[in-house]
PDB file of all heavy atoms in Angstrom:
ATOM      1  N   GLN H   6      68.044 -20.038-126.454  1.00 48.00           N
ATOM      2  CA  GLN H   6      67.411 -21.241-126.970  1.00 48.00           C
ATOM      3  C   GLN H   6      65.914 -21.174-126.691  1.00 48.00           C
ATOM      4  O   GLN H   6      65.485 -20.740-125.624  1.00 48.00           O
ATOM      5  CB  GLN H   6      67.998 -22.485-126.305  1.00 48.00           C
ATOM      6  CG  GLN H   6      69.428 -22.783-126.759  1.00 48.00           C
ATOM      7  CD  GLN H   6      69.921 -24.077-126.166  1.00 48.00           C
ATOM      8  OE1 GLN H   6      69.671 -24.385-125.019  1.00 48.00           O
ATOM      9  NE2 GLN H   6      70.625 -24.845-126.965  1.00 48.00           N
ATOM     10  N   LEU H   7      65.134 -21.634-127.649  1.00 48.00           N
ATOM     11  CA  LEU H   7      63.693 -21.694-127.450  1.00 48.00           C
ATOM     12  C   LEU H   7      63.354 -22.831-126.501  1.00 48.00           C
ATOM     13  O   LEU H   7      64.006 -23.864-126.482  1.00 48.00           O
ATOM     14  CB  LEU H   7      62.978 -21.927-128.785  1.00 48.00           C
ATOM     15  CG  LEU H   7      63.148 -20.842-129.844  1.00 48.00           C
ATOM     16  CD1 LEU H   7      62.470 -21.289-131.129  1.00 48.00           C
ATOM     17  CD2 LEU H   7      62.561 -19.535-129.372  1.00 48.00           C
ATOM     18  N   ASP H   8      62.340 -22.624-125.726  1.00 47.00           N
ATOM     19  CA  ASP H   8      61.860 -23.661-124.833  1.00 47.00           C
ATOM     20  C   ASP H   8      61.220 -24.787-125.641  1.00 47.00           C
ATOM     21  O   ASP H   8      60.775 -24.587-126.759  1.00 47.00           O
ATOM     22  CB  ASP H   8      60.826 -23.053-123.879  1.00 47.00           C
ATOM     23  CG  ASP H   8      60.361 -24.063-122.859  1.00 47.00           C
ATOM     24  OD1 ASP H   8      61.221 -24.714-122.255  1.00 47.00           O
ATOM     25  OD2 ASP H   8      59.142 -24.185-122.679  1.00 47.00           O
ATOM     26  N   ARG H   9      61.186 -25.961-125.068  1.00 43.00           N
ATOM     27  CA  ARG H   9      60.510 -27.099-125.708  1.00 43.00           C
ATOM     28  C   ARG H   9      59.313 -27.492-124.842  1.00 43.00           C
ATOM     29  O   ARG H   9      59.330 -28.508-124.153  1.00 43.00           O
ATOM     30  CB  ARG H   9      61.463 -28.279-125.870  1.00 43.00           C
ATOM     31  CG  ARG H   9      62.623 -27.984-126.801  1.00 43.00           C
ATOM     32  CD  ARG H   9      63.608 -29.138-126.822  1.00 43.00           C
ATOM     33  NE  ARG H   9      63.034 -30.335-127.418  1.00 43.00           N
ATOM     34  CZ  ARG H   9      63.037 -30.599-128.717  1.00 43.00           C
ATOM     35  NH1 ARG H   9      63.575 -29.740-129.549  1.00 43.00           N
ATOM     36  NH2 ARG H   9      62.507 -31.702-129.183  1.00 43.00           N
ATOM     37  N   PRO H  10      58.248 -26.677-124.821  1.00 40.00           N
ATOM     38  CA  PRO H  10      57.094 -26.984-123.977  1.00 40.00           C
ATOM     39  C   PRO H  10      56.422 -28.266-124.431  1.00 40.00           C
ATOM     40  O   PRO H  10      56.455 -28.621-125.603  1.00 40.00           O
ATOM     41  CB  PRO H  10      56.175 -25.779-124.187  1.00 40.00           C
ATOM     42  CG  PRO H  10      56.552 -25.250-125.528  1.00 40.00           C
ATOM     43  CD  PRO H  10      58.026 -25.499-125.664  1.00 40.00           C
ATOM     44  N   THR H  11      55.795 -28.954-123.504  1.00 41.00           N
ATOM     45  CA  THR H  11      55.185 -30.233-123.838  1.00 41.00           C
ATOM     46  C   THR H  11      53.971 -30.069-124.732  1.00 41.00           C
ATOM     47  O   THR H  11      53.682 -30.931-125.549  1.00 41.00           O
ATOM     48  CB  THR H  11      54.770 -30.973-122.558  1.00 41.00           C
ATOM     49  OG1 THR H  11      53.905 -30.112-121.800  1.00 41.00           O
ATOM     50  CG2 THR H  11      55.996 -31.305-121.719  1.00 41.00           C
ATOM     51  N   ALA H  12      53.238 -28.976-124.586  1.00 59.00           N
ATOM     52  CA  ALA H  12      52.000 -28.856-125.362  1.00 59.00           C
ATOM     53  C   ALA H  12      51.667 -27.436-125.780  1.00 59.00           C
ATOM     54  O   ALA H  12      50.994 -27.247-126.789  1.00 59.00           O
ATOM     55  CB  ALA H  12      50.834 -29.428-124.556  1.00 59.00           C
ATOM     56  N   SER H  13      52.106 -26.418-125.054  1.00 83.00           N
ATOM     57  CA  SER H  13      51.512 -25.094-125.219  1.00 83.00           C
ATOM     58  C   SER H  13      51.630 -24.542-126.630  1.00 83.00           C
ATOM     59  O   SER H  13      50.671 -24.012-127.171  1.00 83.00           O
ATOM     60  CB  SER H  13      52.115 -24.112-124.217  1.00 83.00           C
ATOM     61  OG  SER H  13      53.498 -23.934-124.435  1.00 83.00           O
ATOM     62  N   SER H  14      52.802 -24.641-127.251  1.00 89.00           N
ATOM     63  CA  SER H  14      52.949 -24.089-128.595  1.00 89.00           C
ATOM     64  C   SER H  14      52.078 -24.829-129.597  1.00 89.00           C
ATOM     65  O   SER H  14      51.469 -24.226-130.478  1.00 89.00           O
ATOM     66  CB  SER H  14      54.416 -24.132-129.029  1.00 89.00           C
ATOM     67  OG  SER H  14      55.174 -23.199-128.305  1.00 89.00           O
ATOM     68  N   ARG H  15      52.029 -26.144-129.479  1.00 92.00           N
ATOM     69  CA  ARG H  15      51.196 -26.932-130.399  1.00 92.00           C
ATOM     70  C   ARG H  15      49.707 -26.611-130.198  1.00 92.00           C
ATOM     71  O   ARG H  15      48.961 -26.467-131.167  1.00 92.00           O
ATOM     72  CB  ARG H  15      51.445 -28.423-130.183  1.00 92.00           C
ATOM     73  CG  ARG H  15      52.847 -28.888-130.567  1.00 92.00           C
ATOM     74  CD  ARG H  15      53.028 -30.366-130.257  1.00 92.00           C
ATOM     75  NE  ARG H  15      54.374 -30.820-130.495  1.00 92.00           N
ATOM     76  CZ  ARG H  15      54.808 -31.352-131.639  1.00 92.00           C
ATOM     77  NH1 ARG H  15      53.981 -31.506-132.661  1.00 92.00           N
ATOM     78  NH2 ARG H  15      56.053 -31.749-131.772  1.00 92.00           N
ATOM     79  N   VAL H  16      49.286 -26.526-128.939  1.00 90.00           N
ATOM     80  CA  VAL H  16      47.879 -26.221-128.646  1.00 90.00           C
ATOM     81  C   VAL H  16      47.519 -24.837-129.174  1.00 90.00           C
ATOM     82  O   VAL H  16      46.464 -24.635-129.785  1.00 90.00           O
ATOM     83  CB  VAL H  16      47.618 -26.314-127.130  1.00 90.00           C
ATOM     84  CG1 VAL H  16      46.246 -25.758-126.778  1.00 90.00           C
ATOM     85  CG2 VAL H  16      47.744 -27.759-126.664  1.00 90.00           C
ATOM     86  N   THR H  17      48.392 -23.873-128.937  1.00 90.00           N
ATOM     87  CA  THR H  17      48.149 -22.513-129.412  1.00 90.00           C
ATOM     88  C   THR H  17      48.081 -22.473-130.929  1.00 90.00           C
ATOM     89  O   THR H  17      47.214 -21.810-131.511  1.00 90.00           O
ATOM     90  CB  THR H  17      49.256 -21.573-128.917  1.00 90.00           C
ATOM     91  OG1 THR H  17      49.240 -21.555-127.490  1.00 90.00           O
ATOM     92  CG2 THR H  17      49.049 -20.162-129.426  1.00 90.00           C
ATOM     93  N   TYR H  18      48.972 -23.190-131.579  1.00 94.00           N
ATOM     94  CA  TYR H  18      48.999 -23.250-133.042  1.00 94.00           C
ATOM     95  C   TYR H  18      47.655 -23.740-133.581  1.00 94.00           C
ATOM     96  O   TYR H  18      47.056 -23.112-134.460  1.00 94.00           O
ATOM     97  CB  TYR H  18      50.128 -24.186-133.478  1.00 94.00           C
ATOM     98  CG  TYR H  18      50.350 -24.294-134.970  1.00 94.00           C
ATOM     99  CD1 TYR H  18      51.290 -23.494-135.601  1.00 94.00           C
ATOM    100  CD2 TYR H  18      49.646 -25.210-135.743  1.00 94.00           C
ATOM    101  CE1 TYR H  18      51.522 -23.604-136.968  1.00 94.00           C
ATOM    102  CE2 TYR H  18      49.858 -25.325-137.104  1.00 94.00           C
ATOM    103  CZ  TYR H  18      50.806 -24.519-137.714  1.00 94.00           C
ATOM    104  OH  TYR H  18      51.022 -24.632-139.073  1.00 94.00           O
ATOM    105  N   ALA H  19      47.182 -24.860-133.050  1.00 93.00           N
ATOM    106  CA  ALA H  19      45.927 -25.437-133.545  1.00 93.00           C
ATOM    107  C   ALA H  19      44.732 -24.552-133.207  1.00 93.00           C
ATOM    108  O   ALA H  19      43.860 -24.309-134.049  1.00 93.00           O
ATOM    109  CB  ALA H  19      45.735 -26.835-132.960  1.00 93.00           C
ATOM    110  N   ALA H  20      44.687 -24.041-131.970  1.00 91.00           N
ATOM    111  CA  ALA H  20      43.542 -23.230-131.548  1.00 91.00           C
ATOM    112  C   ALA H  20      43.442 -21.943-132.355  1.00 91.00           C
ATOM    113  O   ALA H  20      42.336 -21.481-132.679  1.00 91.00           O
ATOM    114  CB  ALA H  20      43.652 -22.905-130.063  1.00 91.00           C
ATOM    115  N   SER H  21      44.573 -21.360-132.702  1.00 92.00           N
ATOM    116  CA  SER H  21      44.570 -20.076-133.410  1.00 92.00           C
ATOM    117  C   SER H  21      44.200 -20.211-134.878  1.00 92.00           C
ATOM    118  O   SER H  21      44.011 -19.206-135.558  1.00 92.00           O
ATOM    119  CB  SER H  21      45.941 -19.408-133.279  1.00 92.00           C
ATOM    120  OG  SER H  21      46.237 -19.127-131.933  1.00 92.00           O
ATOM    121  N   MET H  22      44.106 -21.435-135.376  1.00 92.00           N
ATOM    122  CA  MET H  22      43.706 -21.630-136.763  1.00 92.00           C
ATOM    123  C   MET H  22      42.191 -21.617-136.946  1.00 92.00           C
ATOM    124  O   MET H  22      41.705 -21.570-138.072  1.00 92.00           O
ATOM    125  CB  MET H  22      44.264 -22.957-137.293  1.00 92.00           C
ATOM    126  CG  MET H  22      45.763 -22.948-137.532  1.00 92.00           C
ATOM    127  SD  MET H  22      46.262 -21.771-138.806  1.00 92.00           S
ATOM    128  CE  MET H  22      45.578 -22.553-140.269  1.00 92.00           C
ATOM    129  N   ASP H  23      41.442 -21.641-135.856  1.00 92.00           N
ATOM    130  CA  ASP H  23      39.977 -21.633-135.939  1.00 92.00           C
ATOM    131  C   ASP H  23      39.501 -20.245-136.352  1.00 92.00           C
ATOM    132  O   ASP H  23      39.749 -19.255-135.661  1.00 92.00           O
ATOM    133  CB  ASP H  23      39.391 -22.011-134.576  1.00 92.00           C
ATOM    134  CG  ASP H  23      37.867 -22.049-134.581  1.00 92.00           C
ATOM    135  OD1 ASP H  23      37.256 -21.832-135.648  1.00 92.00           O
ATOM    136  OD2 ASP H  23      37.293 -22.285-133.508  1.00 92.00           O
ATOM    137  N   SER H  24      38.790 -20.161-137.459  1.00 92.00           N
ATOM    138  CA  SER H  24      38.344 -18.871-137.987  1.00 92.00           C
ATOM    139  C   SER H  24      37.336 -18.179-137.084  1.00 92.00           C
ATOM    140  O   SER H  24      37.084 -16.984-137.230  1.00 92.00           O
ATOM    141  CB  SER H  24      37.730 -19.053-139.384  1.00 92.00           C
ATOM    142  OG  SER H  24      36.595 -19.907-139.325  1.00 92.00           O
ATOM    143  N   GLU H  25      36.737 -18.915-136.143  1.00 91.00           N
ATOM    144  CA  GLU H  25      35.776 -18.322-135.222  1.00 91.00           C
ATOM    145  C   GLU H  25      36.314 -18.311-133.792  1.00 91.00           C
ATOM    146  O   GLU H  25      35.550 -18.199-132.827  1.00 91.00           O
ATOM    147  CB  GLU H  25      34.447 -19.076-135.302  1.00 91.00           C
ATOM    148  CG  GLU H  25      33.808 -18.974-136.683  1.00 91.00           C
ATOM    149  CD  GLU H  25      32.500 -19.730-136.811  1.00 91.00           C
ATOM    150  OE1 GLU H  25      31.969 -20.182-135.778  1.00 91.00           O
ATOM    151  OE2 GLU H  25      32.003 -19.872-137.945  1.00 91.00           O
ATOM    152  N   ALA H  26      37.630 -18.382-133.659  1.00 81.00           N
ATOM    153  CA  ALA H  26      38.247 -18.389-132.339  1.00 81.00           C
ATOM    154  C   ALA H  26      37.947 -17.097-131.588  1.00 81.00           C
ATOM    155  O   ALA H  26      37.995 -16.012-132.172  1.00 81.00           O
ATOM    156  CB  ALA H  26      39.758 -18.571-132.473  1.00 81.00           C
ATOM    157  N   VAL H  27      37.631 -17.215-130.321  1.00 76.00           N
ATOM    158  CA  VAL H  27      37.425 -16.044-129.467  1.00 76.00           C
ATOM    159  C   VAL H  27      38.514 -16.082-128.402  1.00 76.00           C
ATOM    160  O   VAL H  27      38.395 -16.750-127.390  1.00 76.00           O
ATOM    161  CB  VAL H  27      36.034 -16.060-128.803  1.00 76.00           C
ATOM    162  CG1 VAL H  27      35.824 -14.785-127.994  1.00 76.00           C
ATOM    163  CG2 VAL H  27      34.949 -16.207-129.858  1.00 76.00           C
ATOM    164  N   ILE H  28      39.607 -15.378-128.658  1.00 71.00           N
ATOM    165  CA  ILE H  28      40.745 -15.403-127.737  1.00 71.00           C
ATOM    166  C   ILE H  28      41.140 -13.973-127.402  1.00 71.00           C
ATOM    167  O   ILE H  28      42.305 -13.623-127.344  1.00 71.00           O
ATOM    168  CB  ILE H  28      41.932 -16.179-128.337  1.00 71.00           C
ATOM    169  CG1 ILE H  28      42.319 -15.626-129.710  1.00 71.00           C
ATOM    170  CG2 ILE H  28      41.622 -17.649-128.425  1.00 71.00           C
ATOM    171  CD1 ILE H  28      43.542 -16.285-130.300  1.00 71.00           C
ATOM    172  N   ALA H  29      40.126 -13.137-127.195  1.00 64.00           N
ATOM    173  CA  ALA H  29      40.363 -11.709-127.004  1.00 64.00           C
ATOM    174  C   ALA H  29      40.558 -11.331-125.540  1.00 64.00           C
ATOM    175  O   ALA H  29      40.453 -10.176-125.185  1.00 64.00           O
ATOM    176  CB  ALA H  29      39.186 -10.911-127.573  1.00 64.00           C
ATOM    177  N   ASP H  30      40.866 -12.311-124.680  1.00 71.00           N
ATOM    178  CA  ASP H  30      40.971 -11.991-123.267  1.00 71.00           C
ATOM    179  C   ASP H  30      42.243 -11.205-122.960  1.00 71.00           C
ATOM    180  O   ASP H  30      43.273 -11.376-123.614  1.00 71.00           O
ATOM    181  CB  ASP H  30      40.937 -13.276-122.439  1.00 71.00           C
ATOM    182  CG  ASP H  30      42.056 -14.216-122.825  1.00 71.00           C
ATOM    183  OD1 ASP H  30      41.982 -14.793-123.935  1.00 71.00           O
ATOM    184  OD2 ASP H  30      43.001 -14.354-122.050  1.00 71.00           O
ATOM    185  N   PRO H  31      42.205 -10.347-121.960  1.00 79.00           N
ATOM    186  CA  PRO H  31      43.369  -9.527-121.625  1.00 79.00           C
ATOM    187  C   PRO H  31      44.596 -10.335-121.254  1.00 79.00           C
ATOM    188  O   PRO H  31      45.720  -9.918-121.525  1.00 79.00           O
ATOM    189  CB  PRO H  31      42.867  -8.687-120.448  1.00 79.00           C
ATOM    190  CG  PRO H  31      41.380  -8.665-120.584  1.00 79.00           C
ATOM    191  CD  PRO H  31      41.017  -9.991-121.160  1.00 79.00           C
ATOM    192  N   ALA H  32      44.407 -11.510-120.609  1.00 81.00           N
ATOM    193  CA  ALA H  32      45.557 -12.306-120.184  1.00 81.00           C
ATOM    194  C   ALA H  32      46.377 -12.771-121.376  1.00 81.00           C
ATOM    195  O   ALA H  32      47.617 -12.727-121.363  1.00 81.00           O
ATOM    196  CB  ALA H  32      45.083 -13.500-119.362  1.00 81.00           C
ATOM    197  N   THR H  33      45.699 -13.231-122.433  1.00 82.00           N
ATOM    198  CA  THR H  33      46.416 -13.680-123.618  1.00 82.00           C
ATOM    199  C   THR H  33      47.117 -12.518-124.295  1.00 82.00           C
ATOM    200  O   THR H  33      48.270 -12.627-124.726  1.00 82.00           O
ATOM    201  CB  THR H  33      45.446 -14.359-124.604  1.00 82.00           C
ATOM    202  OG1 THR H  33      44.838 -15.470-123.953  1.00 82.00           O
ATOM    203  CG2 THR H  33      46.180 -14.843-125.835  1.00 82.00           C
ATOM    204  N   LEU H  34      46.429 -11.400-124.400  1.00 86.00           N
ATOM    205  CA  LEU H  34      47.047 -10.226-125.024  1.00 86.00           C
ATOM    206  C   LEU H  34      48.269  -9.785-124.227  1.00 86.00           C
ATOM    207  O   LEU H  34      49.319  -9.458-124.800  1.00 86.00           O
ATOM    208  CB  LEU H  34      46.030  -9.090-125.116  1.00 86.00           C
ATOM    209  CG  LEU H  34      46.530  -7.783-125.747  1.00 86.00           C
ATOM    210  CD1 LEU H  34      47.037  -8.013-127.161  1.00 86.00           C
ATOM    211  CD2 LEU H  34      45.419  -6.737-125.737  1.00 86.00           C
ATOM    212  N   ALA H  35      48.159  -9.800-122.905  1.00 88.00           N
ATOM    213  CA  ALA H  35      49.298  -9.419-122.065  1.00 88.00           C
ATOM    214  C   ALA H  35      50.457 -10.393-122.257  1.00 88.00           C
ATOM    215  O   ALA H  35      51.630  -9.988-122.313  1.00 88.00           O
ATOM    216  CB  ALA H  35      48.879  -9.375-120.599  1.00 88.00           C
ATOM    217  N   ALA H  36      50.134 -11.697-122.382  1.00 87.00           N
ATOM    218  CA  ALA H  36      51.181 -12.695-122.594  1.00 87.00           C
ATOM    219  C   ALA H  36      51.887 -12.474-123.929  1.00 87.00           C
ATOM    220  O   ALA H  36      53.107 -12.620-124.037  1.00 87.00           O
ATOM    221  CB  ALA H  36      50.579 -14.098-122.541  1.00 87.00           C
ATOM    222  N   LEU H  37      51.124 -12.107-124.951  1.00 90.00           N
ATOM    223  CA  LEU H  37      51.727 -11.855-126.261  1.00 90.00           C
ATOM    224  C   LEU H  37      52.609 -10.609-126.230  1.00 90.00           C
ATOM    225  O   LEU H  37      53.686 -10.574-126.843  1.00 90.00           O
ATOM    226  CB  LEU H  37      50.629 -11.705-127.316  1.00 90.00           C
ATOM    227  CG  LEU H  37      49.861 -12.996-127.631  1.00 90.00           C
ATOM    228  CD1 LEU H  37      48.670 -12.693-128.537  1.00 90.00           C
ATOM    229  CD2 LEU H  37      50.777 -14.016-128.297  1.00 90.00           C
ATOM    230  N   ARG H  38      52.161  -9.596-125.517  1.00 91.00           N
ATOM    231  CA  ARG H  38      52.991  -8.386-125.407  1.00 91.00           C
ATOM    232  C   ARG H  38      54.279  -8.681-124.642  1.00 91.00           C
ATOM    233  O   ARG H  38      55.350  -8.163-124.978  1.00 91.00           O
ATOM    234  CB  ARG H  38      52.194  -7.274-124.733  1.00 91.00           C
ATOM    235  CG  ARG H  38      51.178  -6.637-125.685  1.00 91.00           C
ATOM    236  CD  ARG H  38      50.353  -5.571-125.012  1.00 91.00           C
ATOM    237  NE  ARG H  38      49.609  -4.796-126.001  1.00 91.00           N
ATOM    238  CZ  ARG H  38      48.450  -4.209-125.779  1.00 91.00           C
ATOM    239  NH1 ARG H  38      47.883  -4.298-124.582  1.00 91.00           N
ATOM    240  NH2 ARG H  38      47.848  -3.514-126.734  1.00 91.00           N
ATOM    241  N   THR H  39      54.173  -9.526-123.624  1.00 89.00           N
ATOM    242  CA  THR H  39      55.374  -9.936-122.898  1.00 89.00           C
ATOM    243  C   THR H  39      56.308 -10.727-123.814  1.00 89.00           C
ATOM    244  O   THR H  39      57.527 -10.551-123.784  1.00 89.00           O
ATOM    245  CB  THR H  39      54.991 -10.789-121.676  1.00 89.00           C
ATOM    246  OG1 THR H  39      54.180 -10.013-120.801  1.00 89.00           O
ATOM    247  CG2 THR H  39      56.217 -11.284-120.935  1.00 89.00           C
ATOM    248  N   GLU H  40      55.725 -11.588-124.629  1.00 88.00           N
ATOM    249  CA  GLU H  40      56.522 -12.388-125.558  1.00 88.00           C
ATOM    250  C   GLU H  40      57.328 -11.515-126.503  1.00 88.00           C
ATOM    251  O   GLU H  40      58.456 -11.849-126.868  1.00 88.00           O
ATOM    252  CB  GLU H  40      55.589 -13.312-126.354  1.00 88.00           C
ATOM    253  CG  GLU H  40      56.209 -13.954-127.581  1.00 88.00           C
ATOM    254  CD  GLU H  40      57.415 -14.823-127.270  1.00 88.00           C
ATOM    255  OE1 GLU H  40      57.547 -15.284-126.123  1.00 88.00           O
ATOM    256  OE2 GLU H  40      58.220 -15.037-128.179  1.00 88.00           O
ATOM    257  N   LEU H  41      56.771 -10.376-126.895  1.00 89.00           N
ATOM    258  CA  LEU H  41      57.470  -9.494-127.829  1.00 89.00           C
ATOM    259  C   LEU H  41      58.738  -8.894-127.231  1.00 89.00           C
ATOM    260  O   LEU H  41      59.542  -8.303-127.958  1.00 89.00           O
ATOM    261  CB  LEU H  41      56.527  -8.381-128.306  1.00 89.00           C
ATOM    262  CG  LEU H  41      55.456  -8.850-129.294  1.00 89.00           C
ATOM    263  CD1 LEU H  41      54.330  -7.842-129.407  1.00 89.00           C
ATOM    264  CD2 LEU H  41      56.069  -9.130-130.662  1.00 89.00           C
ATOM    265  N   THR H  42      58.925  -9.051-125.934  1.00 84.00           N
ATOM    266  CA  THR H  42      60.171  -8.610-125.294  1.00 84.00           C
ATOM    267  C   THR H  42      60.950  -9.798-124.734  1.00 84.00           C
ATOM    268  O   THR H  42      61.867  -9.621-123.931  1.00 84.00           O
ATOM    269  CB  THR H  42      59.870  -7.622-124.149  1.00 84.00           C
ATOM    270  OG1 THR H  42      59.085  -8.278-123.134  1.00 84.00           O
ATOM    271  CG2 THR H  42      59.112  -6.418-124.660  1.00 84.00           C
ATOM    272  N   ALA H  43      60.607 -11.018-125.148  1.00 79.00           N
ATOM    273  CA  ALA H  43      61.230 -12.220-124.593  1.00 79.00           C
ATOM    274  C   ALA H  43      62.725 -12.273-124.869  1.00 79.00           C
ATOM    275  O   ALA H  43      63.475 -12.905-124.126  1.00 79.00           O
ATOM    276  CB  ALA H  43      60.553 -13.468-125.159  1.00 79.00           C
ATOM    277  N   PHE H  44      63.167 -11.641-125.925  1.00 79.00           N
ATOM    278  CA  PHE H  44      64.584 -11.651-126.279  1.00 79.00           C
ATOM    279  C   PHE H  44      65.240 -10.309-125.963  1.00 79.00           C
ATOM    280  O   PHE H  44      66.248  -9.936-126.537  1.00 79.00           O
ATOM    281  CB  PHE H  44      64.754 -11.979-127.759  1.00 79.00           C
ATOM    282  CG  PHE H  44      64.283 -13.359-128.108  1.00 79.00           C
ATOM    283  CD1 PHE H  44      62.973 -13.596-128.476  1.00 79.00           C
ATOM    284  CD2 PHE H  44      65.151 -14.440-128.042  1.00 79.00           C
ATOM    285  CE1 PHE H  44      62.530 -14.875-128.784  1.00 79.00           C
ATOM    286  CE2 PHE H  44      64.721 -15.723-128.343  1.00 79.00           C
ATOM    287  CZ  PHE H  44      63.412 -15.942-128.717  1.00 79.00           C
ATOM    288  N   GLY H  45      64.604  -9.575-125.060  1.00 73.00           N
ATOM    289  CA  GLY H  45      65.124  -8.258-124.707  1.00 73.00           C
ATOM    290  C   GLY H  45      64.384  -7.190-125.479  1.00 73.00           C
ATOM    291  O   GLY H  45      63.728  -7.457-126.488  1.00 73.00           O
TER     292      GLY H  45
END
């Protein structure tokens, strides 16, 4: 089952729509790579 976070998915959704977003930090990239194995 997917988690029902209070804000994180919604915040990420809105922030990632900004055409000038600067989210190139290693922590976010590492989190996304971890997410790609979230279901095994």
Side-chain angles (χ1 to χ4, degrees):
Q6 289 185 320
L7 298 176
D8 184 49
R9 296 175 67 87
T11 56
S13 63
S14 289
R15 293 177 185 268
V16 170
T17 298
Y18 184 94
S21 298
M22 288 297 291
D23 181 3
S24 61
E25 297 179 10
V27 184
I28 54 176
D30 58 289
T33 301
L34 180 58
L37 291 172
R38 284 178 168 151
T39 299
E40 166 60 22
L41 287 163
T42 62
F44 296 89

